Amino acid sequence: MTPYPHAREDRLSAKTGRGELIVSDLNKSFTINGQPRRILDNINLTVRPGEFVSIVGASGCGKSTLLRLIVGLDTEYSGELRLDGERIATTSLDRGIVFQDHRLFPWMTLEQNIELALLNTDTPRARRAQIVADHIALVNLKGFEKAYPHQLSGGMAQRAAIARALVTEPRLLLLDEPLGALDALTRVHVQSELQRIWMAQRSTMVMVTHDVEEALYLGDRVIVMSPNPGRIRRIVEVDLPHPRDRRSPLLHRLKDEILAELTSGADADGDAGNLVHLPSREAR
Amino acid sequence: MASRAADFPVAGGAGAGFRFRLPPVGAVVPLVALLMAWQIACLTGLFPPQVLVPPSGVARALVDMTQSGELQRHVGDSLFRLTVGFAIGAVAGMAFGAVIALSRLAEAALSPLFMTLWQVPVIAFVPMMVMFLGIDEPFKLAVVAIAAFFPMALATFDGIRGVPRNWFEVAKVYRLRLPQLIRRILLPATVPAVLTGLRVSLTRAWVVLVAAELLAADSGIGQMMEMGRQLFQIDVVLAGVMVSGLIGFLLDRGARWVESRATRWRAA
């Protein structure tokens, strides 16, 4: 069952772009205690239209910063960030984001929360209610239109946040650890939902996560990042059609590879990973 | 999904089931007990009637003053002052609180002065204000306005400063314009704090008004009590105590009702 509106194709073609993200020579520094600190170091990445890209990496590798730059909440960077050729200078309704915390407004019903996203779109008023209803159906929340966020479970609230992000039909959807706050079971469930939604929607998606399994299950490609400063360490192609089977041997093999890379990486980089110095080792 | 719909709490009834609900009669018992103890203390002659009038005597005074219209006149005068003074003080407090919350410069310049004045009991301003304003209406309105101003300003400040930064990011992502941001995010987000401030400052303003009327007034519930004291009409004094307590109680209840109606979206 795909509850997605049929008019999708027409509306997409009416838009100028298809959702191609190009990141080139991207650098980002923060000033911490008066010292400039490099957060992102020379990031180069092209996300194809309609592709699902996952980004994994240890905390502090700048992956959330990267998303904030792409969505336009942070605009101080050097290098190039372009969506369909257009340089990213601020936020835009062409770029949606789902945060780790759902960030629904507690005084608005689910319906009102989603409709808020349409406030400054050129969607005719008369059609808004229908579009909101379609997206509530898309994330399987029919029947909860009038519910307030505190009446929803964590998984439901996060799906509502996904619906809000999708309702403007962004060319690019960014997901910043969207399932990070969910319990393990809900997480698996929402992962499958997210895959189904992406297949119905086919807009470009970039998801940041610290869960390698999740990254592989959803991503066409998995970008592995290393910290201090944040760099792209490796790009893994996941050559499996969607919908995927979690038990696929390929996914498991890739997971082992990436985990090995992430954990060994610390040693190779020197200081970062060696939090514990074993005296016996140093003595030799 | 159908199975989940079952544990979806119905709006309005949310959370009510967990609270221990005392039947309305339950709250009356301590009140009746107090009145009975009071009456017995008077009947046993423990206190002379010039000092402590029994509840029955107070009730009689209340009936008499109601029939003569005297009580209504005093209560009406007091409530009028409360309404006008509170409206002025609350609006000014909200405006001031908003300004120091939104401008770091205003906060740096004004908050030390504000915090110092806030520590002064409102009654301490009375002697000075009587000199400037006399004891007529402007004086009482000013006392009420000052009493309402401070808690209101503080609540508004906290309310605005307490709006999570995250929410502004959401507004930015959806390209909300400033008027939309104010109306749809900033105002609703500060409503709970502002309403709590309104309730606190309303009851505070009432207490301060009655006290000010005790000190200097020609009418009002406080003045009624003061006149009763001077004429040794202890029944009138006690009637005033009861009426002002009752009005304060009703103001608090009314404000709480408005608060809960306006913030039904909050988790119970």
Side-chain angles (χ1 to χ4, degrees):
Chain A
M1 186 188 87
T2 46
Y4 205 75
H6 306 295
R8 175 76 191 170
E9 299 294 320
D10 310 337
R11 269 184 278 149
L12 248 186
S13 57
K15 290 202 172 178
T16 47
R18 306 161 301 147
E20 184 188 44
L21 174 73
I22 297 175
V23 182
S24 44
D25 302 328
L26 179 73
N27 288 289
K28 168 76 184 170
S29 298
F30 283 128
T31 306
I32 299 167
N33 292 334
Q35 299 286 316
R37 197 185 161 93
R38 182 60 63 92
I39 300 297
L40 290 171
D41 187 46
N42 202 29
I43 306 289
N44 284 286
L45 174 69
T46 299
V47 182
R48 298 184 283 265
E51 190 182 18
F52 196 117
V53 165
S54 308
I55 302 176
V56 290
S59 52
C61 71
K63 53 195 194 299
S64 287
T65 306
L66 179 60
L67 280 204
R68 291 180 63 83
L69 287 170
I70 299 172
V71 80
L73 282 171
D74 189 340
T75 52
E76 282 169 29
Y77 61 90
S78 69
E80 288 283 310
L81 275 176
R82 289 183 185 274
L83 180 64
D84 296 324
E86 207 177 314
R87 195 182 148 93
I88 292 170
T90 179
T91 56
S92 156
L93 293 167
D94 287 332
R95 281 167 277 130
I97 187 163
V98 178
F99 299 96
Q100 181 173 0
D101 46 334
H102 57 72
R103 299 197 188 180
L104 299 171
F105 295 110
W107 56 86
M108 296 181 194
T109 61
L110 171 56
E111 221 169 33
Q112 290 167 335
N113 264 295
I114 296 175
E115 207 173 343
L116 179 84
L118 291 174
L119 208 57
N120 291 330
T121 57
D122 46 17
T123 318
R125 264 170 202 287
R127 296 210 34 237
R128 287 184 186 180
Q130 186 54 49
I131 292 173
V132 169
D134 287 343
H135 282 82
I136 289 174
L138 178 72
V139 297
N140 274 336
L141 283 175
K142 242 183 182 150
F144 295 93
E145 290 85 354
K146 308 287 181 208
Y148 286 99
H150 80 266
Q151 295 169 312
L152 302 173
S153 70
M156 291 161 87
Q158 205 51 283
R159 278 185 284 146
I162 293 170
R164 177 173 68 180
L166 287 174
V167 80
T168 59
E169 295 180 357
R171 280 182 264 160
L172 173 64
L173 180 68
L174 304 159
L175 302 133
D176 189 2
E177 300 194 26
L179 314 181
L182 304 181
D183 63 87
L185 280 175
T186 313
R187 211 180 156 111
V188 167
H189 170 69
V190 185
Q191 281 167 5
S192 315
E193 287 281 283
L194 196 52
Q195 174 168 258
R196 179 183 62 73
I197 291 164
W198 174 70
M199 289 176 66
Q201 177 95 6
R202 288 289 169 180
S203 60
T204 315
M205 296 197 188
V206 176
M207 178 179 72
V208 154
T209 177
H210 51 249
D211 181 340
V212 176
E213 209 171 307
E214 179 174 292
L216 285 164
Y217 174 65
L218 288 164
D220 292 321
R221 281 187 294 162
V222 176
I223 315 288
V224 183
M225 289 184 70
S226 59
N228 303 315
R231 284 194 183 120
I232 293 181
R233 189 182 177 89
R234 191 178 155 192
I235 297 180
V236 179
E237 294 273 348
V238 187
D239 198 10
L240 264 186
H242 289 272
R244 286 172 178 167
D245 185 346
R246 281 171 205 284
R247 293 161 304 180
S248 150
L250 176 67
L251 292 184
H252 282 266
R253 190 169 55 74
L254 289 173
K255 181 188 168 189
D256 291 342
E257 265 179 46
I258 292 176
L259 279 177
E261 180 116 28
L262 283 172
T263 44
S264 74
D267 290 335
D269 281 351
D271 59 353
N274 277 336
L275 294 175
V276 183
H277 292 277
L278 296 171
S280 60
R281 232 190 245 175
E282 276 167 23
R284 260 170 233 174
Chain B
M1 229 57 251
S3 63
R4 293 201 89 149
D7 52 37
F8 171 55
V10 181
F18 291 109
R19 229 173 300 144
F20 176 69
R21 283 212 175 261
L22 196 67
V25 245
V28 177
V29 173
L31 182 69
V32 171
L34 177 69
L35 289 174
M36 278 170 66
W38 177 2
Q39 184 79 40
I40 288 165
C42 293
L43 288 177
T44 53
L46 200 62
F47 297 101
Q50 295 88 337
V51 176
L52 191 66
V53 179
S56 53
V58 177
R60 208 174 303 122
L62 280 171
V63 170
D64 288 349
M65 284 190 291
T66 310
Q67 275 168 355
S68 70
E70 197 190 342
L71 184 68
Q72 291 91 315
R73 186 172 58 81
H74 286 301
V75 168
D77 282 357
S78 289
L79 286 180
F80 173 77
R81 286 167 196 152
L82 181 74
T83 311
V84 177
F86 178 76
I88 296 168
V91 169
M94 272 190 259
F96 183 80
V99 167
I100 56 171
L102 296 173
S103 157
R104 299 271 167 190
L105 181 72
E107 189 201 1
L110 296 171
S111 71
L113 176 67
F114 173 82
M115 283 301 171
T116 310
L117 290 175
W118 161 238
Q119 303 304 326
V120 181
V122 181
I123 293 298
F125 292 116
V126 167
M128 211 175 59
M129 281 163 49
V130 169
M131 287 200 295
F132 285 118
L133 299 169
I135 62 159
D136 290 338
E137 290 309 294
F139 156 68
K140 275 149 286 184
L141 296 182
V143 170
V144 173
I146 290 173
F149 175 84
F150 286 95
M152 204 57 241
L154 217 55
T156 308
F157 176 82
D158 287 343
I160 292 176
R161 279 290 164 88
V163 179
R165 202 163 266 271
N166 285 350
W167 288 351
F168 292 109
E169 287 187 358
V170 175
K172 199 177 170 203
V173 166
Y174 295 109
R175 311 286 303 164
L176 297 196
R177 291 186 269 270
L178 188 63
Q180 294 171 331
L181 174 70
I182 292 171
R183 194 168 81 78
R184 291 174 190 264
I185 315 287
L186 205 55
L187 285 180
T190 47
V191 157
V194 168
L195 285 180
T196 306
L198 277 174
R199 175 167 56 80
V200 171
S201 53
L202 183 64
T203 45
R204 206 177 121 90
W206 174 246
V207 169
V208 171
L209 173 65
V210 174
E213 286 175 347
L214 275 169
L215 293 172
D218 48 13
S219 69
I221 195 88
Q223 190 266 346
M224 181 187 93
M225 289 155 77
E226 176 57 17
M227 281 304 287
R229 187 190 66 81
Q230 286 178 18
L231 300 173
F232 288 101
Q233 294 172 334
I234 303 305
D235 51 348
V236 173
V237 176
L238 287 170
V241 169
M242 288 180 139
V243 170
S244 66
L246 183 67
I247 290 174
F249 173 79
L250 293 175
L251 289 173
D252 179 72
R253 275 303 156 100
R256 276 180 200 277
W257 182 80
V258 171
E259 234 179 305
S260 66
R261 292 283 299 188
T263 58
R264 267 184 297 184
W265 46 266
R266 282 207 283 195

